[in-house]
Short mmCIF file of all heavy atoms in Angstrom, two decimals:
data_model
loop_
_atom_site.label_atom_id
_atom_site.label_comp_id
_atom_site.label_asym_id
_atom_site.label_seq_id
_atom_site.Cartn_x
_atom_site.Cartn_y
_atom_site.Cartn_z
N ALA A 1 18.41 16.24 12.79
CA ALA A 1 18.98 17.59 12.75
C ALA A 1 19.39 18.03 14.16
O ALA A 1 20.46 18.63 14.35
CB ALA A 1 18.00 18.58 12.15
N ALA A 2 18.57 17.72 15.15
CA ALA A 2 18.89 18.10 16.53
C ALA A 2 20.17 17.42 17.00
O ALA A 2 21.03 18.08 17.59
CB ALA A 2 17.73 17.72 17.46
N ILE A 3 20.30 16.14 16.72
CA ILE A 3 21.49 15.41 17.15
C ILE A 3 22.74 16.01 16.52
O ILE A 3 23.74 16.27 17.20
CB ILE A 3 21.38 13.91 16.78
CG1 ILE A 3 20.27 13.24 17.58
CG2 ILE A 3 22.70 13.19 16.96
CD1 ILE A 3 20.53 13.13 19.06
N LEU A 4 22.70 16.27 15.22
CA LEU A 4 23.89 16.76 14.53
C LEU A 4 24.18 18.23 14.78
O LEU A 4 25.33 18.65 14.82
CB LEU A 4 23.78 16.50 13.03
CG LEU A 4 24.27 15.12 12.62
CD1 LEU A 4 23.26 14.05 12.93
CD2 LEU A 4 24.62 15.10 11.17
N GLN A 5 23.13 19.03 14.96
CA GLN A 5 23.32 20.47 15.09
C GLN A 5 23.40 20.96 16.54
O GLN A 5 24.11 21.91 16.82
CB GLN A 5 22.19 21.21 14.37
CG GLN A 5 22.16 20.95 12.88
CD GLN A 5 20.93 21.52 12.22
OE1 GLN A 5 20.37 22.53 12.66
NE2 GLN A 5 20.49 20.90 11.14
N LYS A 6 22.66 20.33 17.42
CA LYS A 6 22.58 20.81 18.80
C LYS A 6 23.37 19.97 19.80
O LYS A 6 23.72 20.45 20.87
CB LYS A 6 21.11 20.87 19.26
CG LYS A 6 20.22 21.69 18.36
CD LYS A 6 20.63 23.15 18.35
CE LYS A 6 19.74 23.96 17.43
NZ LYS A 6 20.17 25.32 17.29
N PHE A 7 23.61 18.71 19.47
CA PHE A 7 24.30 17.81 20.40
C PHE A 7 25.49 17.15 19.72
O PHE A 7 25.79 16.00 19.94
CB PHE A 7 23.33 16.73 20.91
CG PHE A 7 22.14 17.29 21.61
CD1 PHE A 7 20.92 17.42 20.96
CD2 PHE A 7 22.24 17.72 22.93
CE1 PHE A 7 19.82 17.94 21.61
CE2 PHE A 7 21.14 18.25 23.59
CZ PHE A 7 19.93 18.36 22.93
N ASN A 8 26.19 17.90 18.89
CA ASN A 8 27.28 17.34 18.10
C ASN A 8 28.53 17.03 18.92
O ASN A 8 29.51 16.55 18.38
CB ASN A 8 27.62 18.23 16.91
CG ASN A 8 28.06 19.61 17.34
OD1 ASN A 8 28.11 19.92 18.52
ND2 ASN A 8 28.36 20.45 16.37
N ASP A 9 28.50 17.29 20.22
CA ASP A 9 29.65 16.98 21.07
C ASP A 9 29.57 15.58 21.68
O ASP A 9 30.42 15.20 22.47
CB ASP A 9 29.78 18.03 22.17
CG ASP A 9 28.55 18.11 23.05
OD1 ASP A 9 27.45 17.76 22.58
OD2 ASP A 9 28.67 18.54 24.21
N ILE A 10 28.54 14.80 21.32
CA ILE A 10 28.41 13.44 21.83
C ILE A 10 28.55 12.45 20.68
O ILE A 10 28.35 12.80 19.51
CB ILE A 10 27.05 13.22 22.54
CG1 ILE A 10 25.88 13.44 21.56
CG2 ILE A 10 26.92 14.13 23.75
CD1 ILE A 10 24.53 13.08 22.11
N ASN A 11 28.92 11.23 20.99
CA ASN A 11 28.96 10.18 19.98
C ASN A 11 27.53 9.77 19.66
O ASN A 11 26.70 9.65 20.57
CB ASN A 11 29.75 8.97 20.49
CG ASN A 11 31.22 9.29 20.65
OD1 ASN A 11 31.77 10.06 19.88
ND2 ASN A 11 31.84 8.69 21.64
N TYR A 12 27.24 9.54 18.41
CA TYR A 12 25.89 9.19 18.01
C TYR A 12 25.92 8.33 16.75
O TYR A 12 26.93 8.27 16.04
CB TYR A 12 25.05 10.44 17.74
CG TYR A 12 25.57 11.21 16.54
CD1 TYR A 12 25.13 10.90 15.25
CD2 TYR A 12 26.54 12.20 16.68
CE1 TYR A 12 25.65 11.57 14.15
CE2 TYR A 12 27.05 12.86 15.59
CZ TYR A 12 26.60 12.54 14.33
OH TYR A 12 27.11 13.20 13.24
N ILE A 13 24.81 7.71 16.49
CA ILE A 13 24.57 7.05 15.21
C ILE A 13 23.08 7.16 14.95
O ILE A 13 22.26 7.01 15.85
CB ILE A 13 25.03 5.57 15.20
CG1 ILE A 13 24.84 4.97 13.82
CG2 ILE A 13 24.31 4.76 16.26
CD1 ILE A 13 25.48 3.61 13.64
N CYS A 14 22.73 7.50 13.72
CA CYS A 14 21.34 7.55 13.30
C CYS A 14 21.14 6.41 12.30
O CYS A 14 21.79 6.39 11.26
CB CYS A 14 21.01 8.88 12.63
SG CYS A 14 21.08 10.29 13.73
N VAL A 15 20.28 5.49 12.63
CA VAL A 15 20.02 4.35 11.76
C VAL A 15 18.67 4.56 11.09
O VAL A 15 17.66 4.75 11.76
CB VAL A 15 20.02 3.03 12.57
CG1 VAL A 15 19.79 1.85 11.65
CG2 VAL A 15 21.32 2.88 13.34
N ARG A 16 18.68 4.55 9.76
CA ARG A 16 17.46 4.78 8.99
C ARG A 16 16.90 3.46 8.50
O ARG A 16 17.14 3.02 7.38
CB ARG A 16 17.75 5.70 7.81
CG ARG A 16 18.17 7.08 8.24
CD ARG A 16 18.54 7.94 7.06
NE ARG A 16 19.02 9.24 7.52
CZ ARG A 16 19.77 10.03 6.80
NH1 ARG A 16 20.16 9.68 5.58
NH2 ARG A 16 20.16 11.19 7.28
N PHE A 17 16.13 2.82 9.35
CA PHE A 17 15.52 1.55 8.99
C PHE A 17 14.44 1.75 7.93
O PHE A 17 13.65 2.69 8.02
CB PHE A 17 14.88 0.89 10.21
CG PHE A 17 15.88 0.41 11.22
CD1 PHE A 17 16.07 1.08 12.41
CD2 PHE A 17 16.64 -0.72 10.97
CE1 PHE A 17 16.98 0.64 13.35
CE2 PHE A 17 17.56 -1.18 11.90
CZ PHE A 17 17.73 -0.49 13.08
N PRO A 18 14.37 0.86 6.94
CA PRO A 18 13.32 0.98 5.93
C PRO A 18 11.98 0.43 6.42
O PRO A 18 10.97 0.60 5.77
CB PRO A 18 13.86 0.15 4.76
CG PRO A 18 14.76 -0.84 5.39
CD PRO A 18 15.34 -0.17 6.61
N PHE A 19 11.98 -0.23 7.55
CA PHE A 19 10.76 -0.80 8.11
C PHE A 19 11.03 -1.16 9.56
O PHE A 19 12.17 -1.23 10.00
CB PHE A 19 10.31 -2.04 7.34
CG PHE A 19 11.35 -3.14 7.36
CD1 PHE A 19 11.33 -4.10 8.34
CD2 PHE A 19 12.37 -3.17 6.42
CE1 PHE A 19 12.30 -5.08 8.39
CE2 PHE A 19 13.34 -4.15 6.47
CZ PHE A 19 13.31 -5.11 7.45
N VAL A 20 9.98 -1.42 10.30
CA VAL A 20 10.11 -1.85 11.68
C VAL A 20 9.45 -3.22 11.79
O VAL A 20 8.35 -3.43 11.28
CB VAL A 20 9.43 -0.86 12.65
CG1 VAL A 20 9.50 -1.35 14.08
CG2 VAL A 20 10.08 0.51 12.53
N ILE A 21 10.14 -4.14 12.45
CA ILE A 21 9.59 -5.49 12.60
C ILE A 21 9.69 -5.93 14.05
O ILE A 21 10.43 -5.34 14.83
CB ILE A 21 10.35 -6.51 11.72
CG1 ILE A 21 11.84 -6.51 12.07
CG2 ILE A 21 10.13 -6.25 10.26
CD1 ILE A 21 12.62 -7.62 11.43
N GLY A 22 8.99 -6.98 14.36
CA GLY A 22 9.07 -7.57 15.69
C GLY A 22 10.05 -8.72 15.70
O GLY A 22 10.78 -8.96 14.73
N LYS A 23 10.06 -9.47 16.78
CA LYS A 23 11.03 -10.55 16.93
C LYS A 23 10.75 -11.72 15.99
O LYS A 23 11.64 -12.51 15.71
CB LYS A 23 11.08 -11.04 18.37
CG LYS A 23 9.79 -11.68 18.85
CD LYS A 23 9.94 -12.18 20.25
CE LYS A 23 8.64 -12.88 20.65
NZ LYS A 23 8.80 -13.65 21.86
N ASP A 24 9.54 -11.85 15.48
CA ASP A 24 9.18 -12.96 14.60
C ASP A 24 9.00 -12.47 13.17
O ASP A 24 7.89 -12.42 12.65
CB ASP A 24 7.89 -13.63 15.09
CG ASP A 24 8.05 -14.20 16.49
OD1 ASP A 24 9.11 -14.80 16.76
OD2 ASP A 24 7.13 -14.03 17.31
N ASP A 25 10.10 -12.11 12.53
CA ASP A 25 10.04 -11.59 11.15
C ASP A 25 9.86 -12.74 10.17
O ASP A 25 10.82 -13.31 9.67
CB ASP A 25 11.30 -10.80 10.83
CG ASP A 25 11.34 -10.31 9.40
OD1 ASP A 25 10.27 -10.19 8.77
OD2 ASP A 25 12.44 -10.04 8.89
N TYR A 26 8.62 -13.08 9.89
CA TYR A 26 8.34 -14.18 8.96
C TYR A 26 8.65 -13.80 7.51
O TYR A 26 8.74 -14.66 6.65
CB TYR A 26 6.88 -14.61 9.08
CG TYR A 26 5.91 -13.52 8.69
CD1 TYR A 26 5.49 -13.37 7.37
CD2 TYR A 26 5.43 -12.62 9.64
CE1 TYR A 26 4.62 -12.35 7.01
CE2 TYR A 26 4.56 -11.61 9.28
CZ TYR A 26 4.16 -11.49 7.97
OH TYR A 26 3.30 -10.48 7.61
N THR A 27 8.86 -12.52 7.22
CA THR A 27 9.11 -12.09 5.84
C THR A 27 10.55 -12.32 5.40
O THR A 27 10.83 -12.39 4.22
CB THR A 27 8.81 -10.59 5.67
OG1 THR A 27 9.74 -9.83 6.44
CG2 THR A 27 7.39 -10.24 6.10
N GLY A 28 11.47 -12.37 6.36
CA GLY A 28 12.88 -12.52 6.03
C GLY A 28 13.52 -11.24 5.51
O GLY A 28 14.66 -11.24 5.05
N ARG A 29 12.80 -10.10 5.57
CA ARG A 29 13.33 -8.85 5.02
C ARG A 29 14.60 -8.39 5.72
O ARG A 29 15.55 -7.96 5.06
CB ARG A 29 12.28 -7.74 5.13
CG ARG A 29 11.12 -7.92 4.19
CD ARG A 29 10.17 -6.77 4.28
NE ARG A 29 9.53 -6.78 5.59
CZ ARG A 29 8.62 -5.92 5.97
NH1 ARG A 29 8.23 -4.95 5.17
NH2 ARG A 29 8.07 -5.98 7.16
N LEU A 30 14.63 -8.49 7.04
CA LEU A 30 15.81 -8.02 7.75
C LEU A 30 17.05 -8.81 7.34
O LEU A 30 18.09 -8.23 7.08
CB LEU A 30 15.59 -8.12 9.26
CG LEU A 30 16.75 -7.61 10.12
CD1 LEU A 30 17.07 -6.15 9.80
CD2 LEU A 30 16.43 -7.77 11.59
N ILE A 31 16.93 -10.11 7.24
CA ILE A 31 18.06 -10.94 6.81
C ILE A 31 18.50 -10.54 5.40
O ILE A 31 19.70 -10.43 5.12
CB ILE A 31 17.69 -12.44 6.86
CG1 ILE A 31 17.39 -12.86 8.30
CG2 ILE A 31 18.78 -13.30 6.25
CD1 ILE A 31 18.53 -12.68 9.28
N LYS A 32 17.54 -10.29 4.52
CA LYS A 32 17.87 -9.87 3.15
C LYS A 32 18.68 -8.57 3.16
O LYS A 32 19.69 -8.44 2.48
CB LYS A 32 16.59 -9.68 2.34
CG LYS A 32 16.82 -9.13 0.96
CD LYS A 32 15.50 -8.85 0.26
CE LYS A 32 15.75 -8.11 -1.03
NZ LYS A 32 14.53 -7.66 -1.66
N TYR A 33 18.24 -7.60 3.96
CA TYR A 33 18.94 -6.32 4.03
C TYR A 33 20.34 -6.47 4.62
O TYR A 33 21.28 -5.83 4.18
CB TYR A 33 18.13 -5.30 4.82
CG TYR A 33 16.85 -4.87 4.12
CD1 TYR A 33 15.68 -4.69 4.84
CD2 TYR A 33 16.81 -4.67 2.75
CE1 TYR A 33 14.51 -4.29 4.20
CE2 TYR A 33 15.65 -4.28 2.11
CZ TYR A 33 14.51 -4.10 2.84
OH TYR A 33 13.36 -3.71 2.22
N ILE A 34 20.47 -7.30 5.63
CA ILE A 34 21.78 -7.54 6.23
C ILE A 34 22.73 -8.18 5.22
O ILE A 34 23.89 -7.78 5.10
CB ILE A 34 21.66 -8.40 7.50
CG1 ILE A 34 20.97 -7.59 8.60
CG2 ILE A 34 23.02 -8.91 7.97
CD1 ILE A 34 20.57 -8.39 9.82
N LYS A 35 22.23 -9.15 4.46
CA LYS A 35 23.06 -9.80 3.44
C LYS A 35 23.50 -8.79 2.37
O LYS A 35 24.65 -8.80 1.94
CB LYS A 35 22.32 -10.97 2.79
CG LYS A 35 22.24 -12.19 3.68
CD LYS A 35 21.50 -13.32 2.97
CE LYS A 35 21.40 -14.53 3.87
NZ LYS A 35 20.66 -15.63 3.24
N CYS A 36 22.58 -7.94 1.93
CA CYS A 36 22.93 -6.93 0.94
C CYS A 36 24.01 -6.00 1.48
O CYS A 36 24.95 -5.65 0.77
CB CYS A 36 21.71 -6.12 0.54
SG CYS A 36 20.58 -6.97 -0.57
#
């Protein structure tokens, strides 16, 4: 809300990740989401 309402004069992107992972994603979830 702050980005869109108070700082709307700058370029922005809000990414809503469904989870946070480290560099060793043994689950393969990120690849699955990218493919989808």
Side-chain angles (χ1 to χ4, degrees):
I3 293 293
L4 274 78
Q5 297 172 30
K6 305 296 180 186
F7 301 100
N8 60 0
D9 59 334
I10 61 172
N11 292 326
Y12 66 88
I13 184 170
C14 294
V15 182
R16 295 176 183 158
F17 291 106
F19 60 92
V20 177
I21 58 170
K23 65 178 183 167
D24 299 318
D25 177 22
Y26 63 89
T27 66
R29 290 183 293 182
L30 182 58
I31 296 300
K32 175 185 171 187
Y33 292 140
I34 291 170
K35 285 181 181 179
C36 284

